[in-house]
Amino acid sequence: SQQGEEDPQALSIQEGENATMNCSYKTSINNLQWYRQNSGRGLVHLILIRSNEREKHSGRLRVTLDTSKKSSSLLITASRAADTASYFCATALDRDDKIIFGKGTRLHILP
Amino acid sequence: DAGITQSPRHKVTETGTPVTLRCHQTENHRYMYWYRQDPGHGLRLIHYSYGVKDTDKGEVSDGYSVSRSKTEDFLLTLESATSSQTSVYFCAARTSGSYEQYFGPGTRLTVT
């Protein structure tokens, strides 16, 4: 079974609102990343948070990591139509070169 | 796409035929990965490479083999394609010391 599981599977919000999506994982990690995928395209890296970090910001993105709960959240503030995409979390394990993805959250920003 | 290309971009093939997908990168990345993407499953790791001639299995490696004879090329082979291997295949690459992956545009494979 997959390491990461995003929640919710799909999310629709009004433009300007904040969007929050969550990721839970199963085993200890070295770091966790979030990626965006626009329809029909490859994935694009958004942000990485290491296992010893609790929060990280990049522009309108805020990522938190709770290693005790094995969970992470991605907050997108002041959403825009261009944020409509699928978002995936990906985990890298300690002493392992694999990077494992979850099933993703489909985000739709309503005008 | 950070210099990562995939070929072909689209392929239709018949059950039982061999298929090879190619991933080519121009940035001298050490690590390369093959994923498949299916509705309801997200991305699943098939195989990955940590250097020339160094490869290992991922989550869903059965029915697939890989080869990496040069840094820039990572080939994925379906020895005898089955309908369950109909999918979109993505290649990704990253450098040593960074976990950020760069993705190719994907190959849509249909096995009839």
Side-chain angles (χ1 to χ4, degrees):
Chain A
S1 60
Q2 289 178 260
Q3 160 78 324
E5 293 281 343
E6 289 90 340
D7 171 60
Q9 291 186 358
L11 178 63
S12 293
I13 60 171
Q14 295 293 138
E15 191 167 13
E17 294 181 340
N18 296 341
T20 299
M21 54 205 87
N22 304 294
C23 170
S24 60
Y25 57 91
K26 298 175 183 175
T27 59
S28 295
I29 60 172
N30 177 290
N31 62 73
L32 185 145
Q33 304 175 65
W34 286 91
Y35 288 78
R36 184 187 73 234
Q37 182 183 34
N38 291 97
S39 182
R41 308 291 294 272
L43 280 71
V44 174
H45 180 264
L46 294 176
I47 194 166
L48 179 150
I49 187 165
R50 301 186 194 286
S51 59
N52 61 354
E53 297 176 311
R54 292 297 167 259
E55 187 171 313
K56 202 161 182 182
H57 297 255
S58 176
R60 295 184 296 113
L61 306 180
R62 172 179 169 250
V63 170
T64 61
L65 179 65
D66 186 333
T67 54
S68 66
K69 295 181 179 178
K70 292 187 171 57
S71 67
S72 173
S73 67
L74 171 67
L75 169 68
I76 303 174
T77 60
S79 62
R80 305 168 181 169
D83 295 329
T84 292
S86 291
Y87 292 82
F88 295 88
C89 67
T91 52
L93 307 182
D94 275 331
R95 293 181 293 279
D96 196 323
D97 298 321
K98 297 189 187 74
I99 297 177
I100 305 297
F101 283 79
K103 298 180 180 180
T105 292
R106 294 188 311 278
L107 175 64
H108 184 56
I109 308 300
L110 303 167
Chain B
D1 61 1
I4 298 175
T5 57
Q6 294 184 231
S7 59
R9 293 292 313 279
H10 301 271
K11 186 170 182 67
V12 180
T13 192
E14 293 184 348
T15 298
T17 60
V19 177
T20 295
L21 308 183
R22 180 185 185 231
C23 178
H24 180 77
Q25 54 115 342
T26 59
E27 302 296 324
N28 203 36
H29 293 299
R30 177 184 174 187
Y31 296 90
M32 297 184 76
Y33 300 77
W34 276 108
Y35 294 91
R36 58 178 291 175
Q37 184 173 30
D38 305 287
H41 290 280
L43 276 80
R44 292 180 290 176
L45 179 64
I46 305 171
H47 282 281
Y48 67 99
S49 168
Y50 47 98
V52 173
K53 293 187 174 23
D54 292 323
T55 65
D56 204 351
K57 296 178 179 180
E59 304 168 278
V60 289
S61 58
D62 288 348
Y64 301 95
S65 63
V66 290
S67 66
R68 191 164 177 207
S69 59
K70 299 184 292 184
T71 298
E72 56 266 35
D73 289 324
F74 192 32
L75 304 180
L76 177 70
T77 297
L78 290 65
E79 303 290 347
S80 177
T82 67
S83 59
S84 65
Q85 293 176 311
T86 291
S87 186
V88 180
Y89 291 85
F90 285 99
C91 173
R94 68 177 178 95
T95 59
S96 299
S98 171
Y99 286 90
E100 176 182 349
Q101 288 182 305
Y102 298 94
F103 278 79
T107 293
R108 183 173 296 276
L109 176 67
T110 302
V111 183
T112 61

